[in-house]
Amino acid sequence: MASNNLTEKTALELSRLFTNKEVSAVDITKAFLANISQREERVKSFLHVDQELALQQARNLDSKLQQGGKLGPLAGVPIAIKDNIATKGTKTTCASKILENFVPPYNAHVIEKLTQADAIFIGKTNLDEFAMGSSTENSAFQTTRNPWNLDCIPGGSSGGSAAAVAACEAPISLGSDTGGSIRQPASLCGIVGLKPTYGRVSRYGLFAYASSLDQIGTFSHDVSDTALLMNVIAGHDSRDSTSSPEAVPDYLANLDKPISSLTIGVAREYFTGGLDPEVEKSVRTALDVLKNQGATIKEVSLPHSPYAIATYYLVATAEASSNLARYDGVHYGHRSKDHKNLIDMYSKSRGEGFGAEVKRRIMLGTYALSSGYIDAYYLKALKVRRLIREDFDKAFAGCDVVAGPTSPTCAFKAGEKSSDPLAMYLSDIYTISCNLAGIPGISIPCGFNSKGLPIGLQLLGAPFSEEKLLRVARLYEMNSDWHTKRPKL
Amino acid sequence: MSLSIDQVRWIAHLARLELKPEELESSASQLSAILNHINELQKVNTDSVEPMAHALDLFNVFRPDELKPSLPVDEALENAPDRKGNFYGVPAVLDL
């Protein structure tokens, strides 16, 4: 089988080819490594690729299959991991100079789960430094490019993980989503990206940005692969005290069964705020597809949505200023060579190690928490956060999912927004409320604009309704073919 | 709403973040622009609203207090910028 055919396949197809002994794990891995070596110079998805380690895992799987050993659900499937998820013995940098040489002594919970599922780790992907950004331009090391147009950014912060899947450098990947960092790059790269309910996937080993919003999630070409990957990574972990004990359903089992009497909520507020007319047209057409499948479309209201960005940039930065206090040059990470005393060592190590956006968010969060301002900023934001959550609770009392665009525009050009932090923040206008409310959200491909750039449909669900959310996404996917498109690279 | 350079310098001190003079200036203008946007929140009536710190209704997650092996010293110190025996080396905190 030609290697380019292999790399365009989904994880489910690859695992079947492998377990049916039609293709070896080594051949699958070599096909993706070949794509990486041909495309990386242009796309720049990865920060580290360990070819030998990937091939060693593949050889082990091939012999396990030969010997008739029991194989996990991801046997023979390569996976790329965002570089803010701890991998024992492999560098984990958060795309920051402060962690440039950091090698974690432990694995994240999701890495253990993927190992048990027999996935093949193919590399660590680029991100905005500490997951703070919407374009990967805040990476200390490189800017990832959009596989559909190399002049454009892939979105962020999980831009490397999204671009790797879109460019067929890996069939699936993991990212993290604090304010849209999975759904926005999935939308901009024309693939599927799921942010699960807060607490659905353990955050153990995910480098914290904003702990009450952060959630690990998935990238894939289609919804079936999302379900497959969620079956592996979802579930309780005692090492994350916010991990939910809620039972995990089999997300794949009933995926193709439509929801009976499906009601889709459409929020007026998600069709304002600088929405590109071409994006709006594709999203409305997608809603018609679901309507033709029997769904009832109903208007719902999320009146506090206009306040989501302001709320987010207080809650997230306040938590970040506290979380990132650990990078002080004492136990690990960069330590300044030139310092007068201990405090000076902290300040210089952090001043030298952090990039501009990380500094900006630490400053904003420190200010929001400082004496005299905490009530007006941080506490005010926590109260508006509750109102945003209550908007969703009311909406879901009358509909199964809320649908709208994932991002107000398609991918923008590199450099276009990098000098204006506020303009960059506003690109997350439709994704941010989901994290504040702690609910699950998915972006699925629903078209292309006139320049050939992908457009994403966002579906949001009530807490722990991933099974339903995926079935609605799958219903759309079965009646469209956007998920089968691959960029020419 | 605009922040002065002195306010920015004070926040940077609280955050233990050394900023270069040009970073102090750009921070003042950028943070002021962001705060202007954030001040929109003051329009929302939150008089009878409880703050929401967390999306989950999970409280007091306990585990048994049992002895378990922890990270071996050598592994824990593997990433130390300055290892001194089984300790992290740091500048003196007290004048002796």
Side-chain angles (χ1 to χ4, degrees), chain A residues 103 335 359-360 380 386, chain B residues 23 30 44 50 79 89:
Chain A
V103 180
R335 178 184 291 193
K359 287 178 184 171
R360 193 148 45 231
K380 181 78 183 181
R386 181 172 300 282
Chain B
E23 286 180 312
Q30 285 168 340
V44 186
E50 280 293 305
N79 286 286

Side-chain angles (χ1 to χ4, degrees), chain A residues 20-31:
Chain A
N20 293 339
K21 302 192 181 176
E22 289 173 51
V23 187
S24 70
V26 166
D27 284 344
I28 294 172
T29 306
K30 279 184 176 166

Side-chain angles (χ1 to χ4, degrees), chain A residues 101-103 105 198-199 212 241-243 245 304 307 309-311 314 329-333 335 339 341-348 350-351 354 359-360 362-364 366-367 370 373 376-377 380-387 389 421-422 425-426 436-438 464, chain B residues 1 3 7-20 23-24 26-27 30-31 33-35 37-47 49-58 61 63 71 75-82 88-93:
Chain A
N101 298 307
F102 181 68
V103 180
Y198 183 79
S212 82
S241 63
T242 62
S243 165
H304 295 93
Y307 304 103
I309 288 187
T311 304
L314 288 167
V330 173
H331 301 96
Y332 53 88
R335 178 184 291 193
H339 48 76
N341 54 45
L342 187 66
I343 300 287
D344 194 44
M345 185 191 88
Y346 296 155
S347 301
K348 284 210 168 71
R350 291 160 63 76
F354 289 136
K359 287 178 184 171
R360 193 148 45 231
I362 290 174
M363 294 283 287
L364 185 58
T366 303
Y367 181 64
S370 66
Y373 298 97
Y377 288 117
K380 181 78 183 181
L382 291 186
K383 290 175 182 175
V384 180
R385 183 179 183 183
R386 181 172 300 282
L387 295 173
R389 167 63 184 255
L422 191 56
Y425 295 176
L426 294 173
L436 290 166
F464 300 103
Chain B
M1 175 84 209
L3 290 177
Q7 276 177 299
V8 172
R9 196 176 282 121
W10 173 245
I11 303 165
H13 166 74
L14 291 177
R16 300 291 185 265
L17 202 51
E18 186 174 279
L19 297 184
K20 299 186 198 85
E23 286 180 312
L24 283 171
S26 62
S27 295
Q30 285 168 340
L31 290 175
I34 296 165
L35 286 170
H37 177 80
I38 283 172
N39 279 328
E40 288 281 296
L41 285 187
Q42 305 309 328
K43 289 185 198 159
V44 186
N45 182 347
T46 54
D47 287 349
V49 182
E50 280 293 305
M52 171 178 159
H54 219 272
L56 284 175
D57 293 327
L58 275 177
V61 178
R63 60 167 174 79
L71 206 58
E75 283 182 44
L77 288 165
E78 191 70 32
N79 286 286
D82 179 15
Y88 296 98
V90 286
V93 181

Side-chain angles (χ1 to χ4, degrees), chain A residues 307-328:
Chain A
Y307 304 103
I309 288 187
T311 304
Y312 174 83
Y313 278 97
L314 288 167
V315 173
T317 60
E319 293 184 19
S321 74
S322 169
N323 273 325
L324 272 64
R326 73 190 67 180
Y327 304 105
D328 57 7

Side-chain angles (χ1 to χ4, degrees), chain A residues 32-112:
Chain A
F32 282 98
L33 288 172
N35 251 11
I36 290 172
S37 67
Q38 285 162 17
R39 298 176 170 193
E40 258 312 271
E41 204 181 312
R42 286 168 290 153
V43 182
K44 299 186 173 75
S45 310
F46 287 93
L47 291 174
H48 344 279
V49 174
D50 191 335
Q51 298 212 16
E52 200 29 60
L53 190 68
L55 286 169
Q56 187 55 50
Q57 295 170 73
R59 282 192 289 267
N60 291 345
L61 275 172
D62 283 333
S63 32
K64 195 169 165 184
L65 179 68
Q66 290 309 321
Q67 289 155 13
K70 192 173 167 4
L71 293 165
L74 291 174
V77 180
I79 186 165
I81 306 291
K82 188 177 183 180
D83 206 27
N84 62 350
I85 296 174
T87 44
K88 186 176 182 175
T90 297
K91 272 207 286 188
T92 303
T93 67
C94 294
S96 178
K97 278 199 279 181
I98 213 160
L99 289 175
E100 191 165 4
N101 298 307
F102 181 68
V103 180
Y106 70 105
N107 273 323
H109 177 77
V110 289
I111 300 298
E112 293 175 353

Side-chain angles (χ1 to χ4, degrees), chain A residues 11-16 18-19 61 64 70-77 113-120 172 225 227-233 252:
Chain A
L12 263 178
E13 290 167 343
L14 290 169
S15 77
R16 280 187 198 132
F18 171 65
T19 47
L61 275 172
K64 195 169 165 184
K70 192 173 167 4
L71 293 165
L74 291 174
V77 180
K113 288 287 183 187
L114 290 167
T115 305
Q116 288 160 16
D118 286 327
I120 297 165
I172 49 174
D225 276 6
L228 173 73
L229 192 45
M230 278 299 285
N231 275 353
V232 171
I233 63 170
L252 260 178

